[in-house]
Amino acid sequence: MIFIGMIFQYNSEQGTGLIMLSDGGQKEFSQTQWADSSNSPAVGQKIAYETDVTSVKVRVASQDDISRASAKPKEESSSDNKNETSVDEYLKHFTDLGFKLVKDTNSDAVRTLILRSFATGESQELIITQTASSTTVVEKINGKIVPLSNNI
């Protein structure tokens, strides 16, 4: 099974880190599970977390990984209430990480949340947008979009 997520903590000296998955879950990983020879793990990277019965592989997410991972939750989602919970889980997770909710609007069946953080010495902004069919998360660091958008 493949999950899409973002590295939100990484200690290069110890070779360990934490990943925030698109479903709100968190996973620990180590350098031994890193399966991407052309990239090194770093905070803010959009990753694919692949797991089976015997192993875990972590790598920078490809467009194919994102498409495969996002197709399953869309098929399983049967109500708007499930999507609402997902947005609230994102909100709780990111506020627990130190982000502050700046704006929460709901117009024309589109809910938009804007969260900001300055804790890392950089200006970080998250824009979470929920429609009837999907939830999208966009991250900006110092005004530049980081490839974190995905539908769940």
Side-chain angles (χ1 to χ4, degrees):
M1 181 172 273
I2 295 178
F3 299 94
I4 302 300
M6 178 186 74
I7 297 174
F8 70 91
Q9 288 182 0
Y10 185 69
N11 183 324
S12 58
E13 291 175 11
Q14 295 178 353
T16 59
L18 289 173
I19 298 168
M20 163 60 170
L21 300 176
S22 62
D23 67 359
Q26 294 182 17
K27 297 288 185 182
E28 295 181 359
F29 76 100
S30 68
Q31 183 67 38
T32 59
Q33 296 168 323
W34 188 255
D36 190 335
S37 60
S38 59
N39 297 292
S40 297
V43 171
Q45 278 179 322
K46 186 174 191 174
I47 57 89
Y49 183 92
E50 185 174 1
T51 182
D52 60 28
V53 177
T54 59
S55 68
V56 171
K57 294 179 184 175
V58 182
R59 65 181 178 279
V60 172
S62 68
Q63 190 58 45
D64 186 47
D65 292 329
I66 295 165
S67 297
R68 288 188 305 177
S70 66
K72 293 175 187 165
K74 281 184 182 176
E75 294 167 2
E76 294 171 6
S77 178
S78 60
S79 72
D80 288 1
N81 194 20
K82 184 172 180 178
N83 286 339
E84 186 70 30
T85 303
S86 176
V87 169
D88 292 335
E89 287 175 355
Y90 274 121
L91 178 62
K92 180 178 179 346
H93 174 77
F94 286 113
T95 54
D96 287 350
L97 290 175
F99 282 84
K100 303 290 184 210
L101 179 62
V102 175
K103 192 175 191 181
D104 185 350
T105 60
N106 197 353
S107 63
D108 297 326
V110 176
R111 183 175 178 196
T112 303
L113 287 81
I114 298 176
L115 297 96
R116 291 194 180 125
S117 173
F118 301 97
T120 62
E122 297 179 313
S123 170
Q124 289 181 276
E125 181 175 76
L126 292 167
I127 302 167
I128 303 170
T129 306
Q130 176 191 26
T131 63
S133 62
S134 67
T135 302
T136 303
V137 179
V138 175
E139 181 181 18
K140 293 182 181 181
I141 297 178
N142 294 330
K144 296 186 184 207
I145 294 176
V146 176
L148 176 67
S149 299
N150 68 19
N151 293 327
I152 52 177

